[in-house]
Amino acid sequence: MNKLLFSFLSLMLLNAAYAQHTKTLFDSSWKFLKADVTGGEKEGLDDKNWRTVLLPHDWSIEDLPNQSDSVKGPFTSQSIGATATGYTVGGTAWYRKHFTLKNTDNKKITICFDGVYMNSDVWINGHYLGNHPYGYTAFYYDLTPWLKQNGEENIIAVRVRNEGRNSRWYSGSGIYRHVWLTTTNTTHIDEWGVYITTPEANTGMAGINIQTRLTTENEAASLQLRTNILDEKNKTVASATTAIAGKDEVAQTVKLAHPNLWSPETPYLYHAVTDILQGDKIIDHVVTNFGVRSINITADKGFLLNGKSIELRGGCVHHDNGILGSATIDRAEERRVELLKQFGYNAVRTSHNPPSQQFLDACDRLGIIVIDEAFDQWEREKNPQDYHLYFDTCWKKDIDAMVLRDRNHPSVVFWSIGNEINERADASGLAIAKQLRDEVKSIDDTRPVTEAICAFWDHPGYKWDTTAAAYALLDVGGYNYMLNEYEPDHTKYPQRVMMGTESFPLEAYTNWQQVEAHPYVIGDFVWTAMDYLGETGIGHTGLDSTPGFQLQTFPWFNSWCGDIDLIGGKKPQSYYRDIVWNRSRVTMLVHTPVPEGHKEAVSAWGWPDEVAAYTFPGDEGKSMQVNVYTKYPVVRLELNGKTVAEKTVSQQDLTASFNINYQPGILKAIALKDGKAVDSFILKTAGKPARIRLTADRTHINANANDLAYVTAEIVDANGNLVPNTEMPLHFSITGNGEIIAAGNANPSDAESFQDAEHKTFRGKCLIIIRPKGNAGKITLKAEGESLASGTVVIETKK
């Protein structure tokens, strides 16, 4: 766990215990049954034979019983969601948890669900608490009136219905985010009740406004609200104490000299410690993390963060964690953000729903700017059973849940009210957009509101100009795949600020040129930064097929359109993007052989089938294309020390293309400027597979269920070089205080179990995810494969 986060949590738990305010993780020992049950909410129901699960839990990623297809795993060609959900299965299931409480007389007990997909109904001791349709917003219930005290058993029952066709991507199913049980005094700070803004933020001084919403009893006249601002070393740097005087909301302002400003380069976090005091006694206590930063966005100056210009190197992501499905395990969420940062992103769009709290916490700590998006549809459907069925009655509580929960995150810079909404420019859609925007602004008016708008392919008679009324409602206009409209729209609407909320990978350089050339285009977000489950093969590359929007059928299960693959590997478009974003000076990719008589066809969201490798046994003498990407003017290509050719780099796409006849050895691209070599990139042919190399992302982890170790298994030759053409099964075994919770590879059409201890490699690699069992000690993972020397890795766990 991040040391800063650990110190925050330690402080919070220490003071919370003293303050009679506890927020307890409520994830363990839930009973689960994948079936609809008559009377599943009743206290007398016998659930002893139900499976015991640990939350977060996603049943759609688990192996299906009685599999009808020729694969083992979560996939079936009979899936109702089919290509959209990656051939996985939803349905109806029940969760039940038995628990007891002590010393909670005169306390308020609340249960909070961070996210349940979808359409959940909740009961406590047989009493119905409510229904929550949307699968991506947090919700909570007051349990107090129906709880049994003094050690008597209580039963929470949750029915989850992920039914019909309700999503355009893999959603997962179940209580896939955390559950919390909060105990407070009857006088307390409300859930999401602290709101911190920094209207003045510069290196000399910060003005910090704190608004705190309270629920108080009769003693309110004698109460005070104290807020201490602590830095990363837990030193108090500012403080305010205010009489509550019967108010249900208290406003405070403090000044902070020479603050550390939050930015992607320096993601500094403060935390506000808010206490309700009655004399010297702490009645309630809440800790809120926040950052000090300023936002200013205009068409003539672009996006200024803390007064400095910033261009958004953005990517869209869905919410799944690859081979873990949608389970929101803290370390999995953090690793996704680490990967984004590692591969050059400074911004992310949470497509097309609010993300987990843990994802935003990681963006705060690591420095990623966030577009926090609410909905994929409003009143008009995209699927028959999707959120449009509930929008009219639920939009307000879901918008409120998103903004109230997320408004203190410094990483959240934009609120998005929708994506490619069917009624986006109709009279009804404009009225809804205004309603959504106004509701967001009523809760938080410090951030710009955007919406991702695309061309009207579903209304051929419409013209792009019809979006003017929609954009007039927004602070920043989101453009999906409409880069050719930036300059004409600027001529017509010179005050409009724009950003590419979705773009094609193959247009990375063209899009980025617009960002660099025009301050009113503040960033570009590729679809997508990461491969995700569902929308099968939207980024596929094939032979002789028609490019465009064409999803691939079973056994394809993932999108294959990301810069980063399903297990965290770097895909070819990411190498190209490194050149576009000036992260590398020269790179080289080799196209896999195209069979004679055929031609390659690339999806609009895809990339040519080229790799950062030079190992093609059996293809000796065959013609291959080599692409060198660089901003230098000239490139020389050498094969085994001999010059193949020198070529001028096209400034339209930063590419120099060569044709070679494949022969093993060393391929070297040399960038030239004024006739002199200034940089190079080398690929070598690997030898035969010799052994398995295991590499853990971290060899020391915390002994709790929310930490994980990600272990990459690679097939290497005798010299330790990856053998990128190997696809072979490996068997994994584990000893010590851990368990394998997932194994998989990046192949988008390898529909296999993610829970089996044996898994094939793809392009020489696969991934194993290990979870500690809760005790400190050692975990040893061993990998074995036919005719290969085995590999081992040791991971230390600590309390």
Side-chain angles (χ1 to χ4, degrees):
M1 181 183 292
N2 177 281
K3 290 182 178 178
L4 174 60
L5 179 62
F6 182 78
S7 67
F8 282 2
L9 291 176
S10 299
L11 178 69
M12 183 170 63
L13 292 173
L14 176 65
N15 286 321
Y18 173 65
Q20 306 289 320
H21 181 138
T22 60
K23 187 173 183 178
T24 305
L25 202 58
F26 211 51
D27 287 347
S28 64
S29 302
W30 285 78
K31 291 291 188 177
F32 171 76
L33 184 67
K34 173 63 170 64
D36 201 357
V37 178
T38 301
E41 77 281 7
K42 295 187 181 302
E43 294 179 83
L45 181 77
D46 185 0
D47 58 17
K48 64 177 181 294
N49 291 324
W50 292 19
R51 183 155 62 99
T52 301
V53 297
L54 175 69
L55 307 182
H57 175 246
D58 173 12
W59 80 66
S60 288
I61 207 67
E62 297 179 337
D63 291 352
L64 290 169
N66 307 314
Q67 179 62 274
S68 59
D69 294 297
S70 59
V71 296
K72 178 184 177 184
F75 309 106
T76 172
S77 61
Q78 306 305 308
S79 163
I80 294 173
T83 56
T85 59
Y87 292 97
T88 56
V89 175
T92 297
W94 282 81
Y95 295 83
R96 287 166 58 93
K97 183 175 173 67
H98 300 246
F99 66 101
T100 59
L101 294 171
K102 294 182 179 179
N103 302 318
T104 55
D105 292 338
N106 301 316
K107 301 294 182 183
K108 180 178 180 179
I109 313 295
T110 305
I111 190 168
C112 181
F113 294 85
D114 281 352
V116 181
Y117 200 91
M118 59 171 283
N119 213 355
S120 66
D121 295 284
V122 182
W123 291 262
I124 176 67
N125 297 329
H127 178 85
Y128 185 61
L129 294 172
N131 170 260
H132 189 83
Y134 198 34
Y136 299 111
T137 49
F139 57 99
Y140 55 90
Y141 299 110
D142 182 4
L143 304 182
T144 312
W146 302 280
L147 283 174
K148 300 174 184 177
Q149 306 287 348
N150 303 317
E152 288 189 68
E153 183 178 74
N154 296 278
I155 300 174
I156 286 275
V158 182
R159 179 177 62 190
V160 184
R161 290 174 290 170
N162 180 5
E163 297 172 334
R165 290 169 48 216
N166 60 62
S167 180
R168 297 191 301 117
W169 58 88
Y170 177 86
S171 61
S173 303
I175 309 177
Y176 72 100
R177 291 179 180 170
H178 289 304
V179 179
W180 304 87
L181 198 70
T182 301
T183 304
T184 68
N185 287 304
T186 52
T187 292
H188 59 272
I189 297 162
D190 292 351
E191 187 75 23
W192 307 325
V194 177
Y195 176 37
I196 301 172
T197 58
T198 56
E200 177 189 6
N202 56 65
T203 55
M205 182 66 67
I208 302 171
N209 291 347
I210 310 107
Q211 292 177 262
T212 306
R213 198 173 61 245
L214 313 155
T215 298
T216 59
E217 297 296 327
N218 295 329
E219 74 276 16
S222 63
L223 299 178
Q224 290 185 310
L225 188 76
R226 180 182 66 196
T227 300
N228 290 328
I229 306 299
L230 277 61
D231 65 13
E232 287 190 345
K233 296 179 180 179
N234 291 329
K235 178 184 176 182
T236 299
V237 292
S239 184
T241 302
T242 306
I244 293 175
K247 296 189 290 286
D248 59 7
E249 188 167 300
V250 176
Q252 297 172 306
T253 299
V254 298
K255 294 288 187 178
L256 178 59
H258 307 296
N260 293 287
L261 302 181
W262 187 95
S263 71
E265 295 74 29
T266 58
Y268 193 96
L269 294 175
Y270 292 91
H271 50 287
V273 179
T274 306
D275 296 318
I276 298 177
L277 302 175
Q278 188 173 41
D280 294 332
K281 183 181 179 181
I282 298 177
I283 302 298
D284 200 21
H285 171 99
V286 170
V287 176
T288 306
N289 299 338
F290 72 99
V292 176
R293 50 110 176 101
S294 67
I295 301 167
N296 186 25
I297 302 176
T298 60
D300 60 334
K301 293 185 179 180
F303 179 14
L304 301 182
L305 181 66
N306 304 325
K308 298 179 180 178
S309 177
I310 184 169
E311 297 167 337
L312 298 176
R313 303 189 304 271
C316 302
V317 299
H318 276 311
H319 70 290
D320 71 79
N321 276 304
I323 62 176
L324 287 173
S326 293
T328 304
I329 300 170
D330 294 9
R331 173 56 190 159
E333 298 291 275
E334 181 180 58
R335 178 177 179 264
R336 279 202 295 153
V337 179
E338 287 178 350
L339 289 169
L340 290 170
K341 196 81 173 180
Q342 175 185 336
F343 290 111
Y345 293 92
N346 67 6
V348 64
R349 174 176 171 234
T350 65
S351 311
H352 304 292
N353 48 262
S356 73
Q357 177 78 31
Q358 291 71 32
F359 185 85
L360 293 180
D361 287 342
C363 290
D364 290 345
R365 293 194 304 272
L366 299 173
I368 293 282
I369 288 170
V370 177
I371 302 175
D372 199 342
E373 191 152 83
F375 304 121
D376 189 45
Q377 62 279 127
W378 296 342
E379 290 182 338
R380 296 186 191 172
E381 70 180 66
K382 293 182 179 179
N383 277 293
Q385 286 80 41
D386 66 21
Y387 183 71
H388 86 280
L389 296 173
Y390 313 103
F391 181 83
D392 284 345
T393 56
C394 295
W395 71 264
K396 185 179 184 300
K397 73 173 182 179
D398 289 323
I399 281 287
D400 290 0
M402 177 183 79
V403 180
L404 287 169
R405 188 199 68 169
D406 298 347
R407 60 187 176 174
N408 292 316
H409 288 279
S411 60
V412 175
V413 172
F414 304 89
W415 303 116
S416 172
I417 57 175
N419 170 67
E420 297 180 354
I421 300 299
N422 284 334
E423 64 267 39
R424 50 198 173 270
D426 292 350
S428 64
L430 295 174
I432 292 169
K434 182 179 185 304
Q435 204 171 32
L436 294 172
R437 181 204 65 188
D438 291 350
E439 183 65 18
V440 169
K441 295 286 190 180
S442 73
I443 303 171
D444 173 49
D445 63 358
T446 69
R447 293 171 172 86
V449 172
T450 187
E451 178 190 343
I453 296 176
C454 57
F456 289 84
W457 61 78
D458 51 342
H459 296 290
Y462 282 8
K463 302 296 183 184
W464 182 245
D465 273 351
T466 62
T467 61
Y471 280 126
L473 295 168
L474 306 173
D475 301 305
V476 175
Y479 282 56
N480 281 12
Y481 311 108
M482 300 305 298
L483 73 96
N484 292 329
E485 303 297 334
Y486 290 152
E487 292 176 353
D489 277 6
H490 179 66
T491 300
K492 289 179 284 188
Y493 313 106
Q495 300 307 310
R496 183 185 296 173
V497 180
M498 313 170 193
M499 62 182 168
T501 36
E502 288 182 27
S503 63
F504 297 120
L506 285 168
E507 294 178 347
Y509 185 47
T510 308
N511 275 285
W512 197 245
Q513 285 178 302
Q514 292 287 313
V515 175
E516 291 185 317
H518 304 305
Y520 56 84
V521 182
I522 64 173
D524 175 57
F525 291 74
V526 68
W527 191 268
T528 56
M530 294 179 167
D531 282 350
Y532 55 94
L533 302 173
E535 284 198 303
T536 55
I538 190 177
H540 75 283
T541 300
L543 296 175
D544 308 320
S545 61
T546 302
F549 186 86
Q550 183 181 356
L551 298 180
Q552 301 299 286
T553 56
F554 189 83
W556 281 71
F557 68 92
N558 96 43
S559 62
W560 196 239
C561 61
D563 278 22
I564 305 166
D565 68 30
L566 201 67
I567 64 172
K570 191 177 182 71
K571 289 174 66 182
Q573 51 264 53
S574 181
Y575 287 93
Y576 180 72
R577 198 175 301 280
D578 284 345
I579 301 299
V580 171
W581 285 345
N582 298 314
R583 300 183 70 242
S584 296
R585 298 198 294 176
V586 60
T587 194
M588 175 170 55
L589 300 172
V590 181
H591 202 292
T592 59
V594 176
E596 189 173 347
H598 296 274
K599 64 178 183 178
E600 183 182 55
V602 182
S603 158
W605 287 268
W607 194 266
D609 189 17
E610 54 187 15
V611 292
Y614 191 62
T615 301
F616 301 92
D619 289 321
E620 288 79 3
K622 290 184 179 180
S623 178
M624 288 186 178
Q625 180 175 302
V626 177
N627 286 326
V628 180
Y629 302 115
T630 184
K631 290 184 178 178
Y632 285 114
V634 179
V635 169
R636 178 191 304 140
L637 186 69
E638 294 181 354
L639 177 56
N640 294 328
K642 297 181 179 179
T643 297
V644 174
E646 281 189 14
K647 290 200 173 182
T648 300
V649 177
S650 167
Q651 294 308 303
Q652 287 190 323
D653 59 7
L654 308 179
T655 306
S657 296
F658 301 82
N659 288 305
I660 64 170
N661 293 323
Y662 175 68
Q663 54 179 290
I666 299 175
L667 193 64
K668 184 176 184 179
I670 303 169
L672 305 175
K673 184 178 181 181
D674 299 328
K676 296 181 179 180
V678 289
D679 211 335
S680 63
F681 191 92
I682 296 173
L683 295 172
K684 297 180 181 180
T685 303
K688 294 181 179 181
R691 62 184 179 89
I692 305 167
R693 179 170 61 207
L694 298 181
T695 307
D697 65 335
R698 297 172 305 148
T699 56
H700 292 78
I701 64 176
N702 293 297
N704 68 67
N706 281 307
D707 207 356
L708 303 170
Y710 283 76
V711 180
T712 301
E714 298 173 294
I715 310 299
V716 298
D717 64 14
N719 295 318
N721 300 308
L722 176 71
V723 185
N725 61 310
T726 52
E727 297 189 12
M728 61 184 300
L730 299 180
H731 179 77
F732 300 96
S733 57
I734 192 167
T735 58
N737 298 314
E739 60 181 337
I740 298 171
I741 61 168
N745 63 42
N747 189 338
S749 59
D750 184 17
E752 291 190 326
S753 169
F754 296 132
Q755 299 180 318
D756 204 327
E758 183 171 286
H759 212 93
K760 292 199 299 284
T761 58
F762 174 67
R763 296 184 174 172
K765 298 180 181 181
C766 65
L767 180 71
I768 307 89
I769 304 177
I770 295 172
R771 173 183 249 167
K773 288 183 177 178
N775 297 317
K778 291 183 179 180
I779 302 170
T780 301
L781 179 71
K782 184 177 183 180
E784 299 172 286
E786 186 177 353
S787 303
L788 296 173
S790 62
T792 60
V793 66
V794 176
I795 297 158
E796 300 274 356
T797 64
K798 59 182 179 180
K799 283 287 192 180

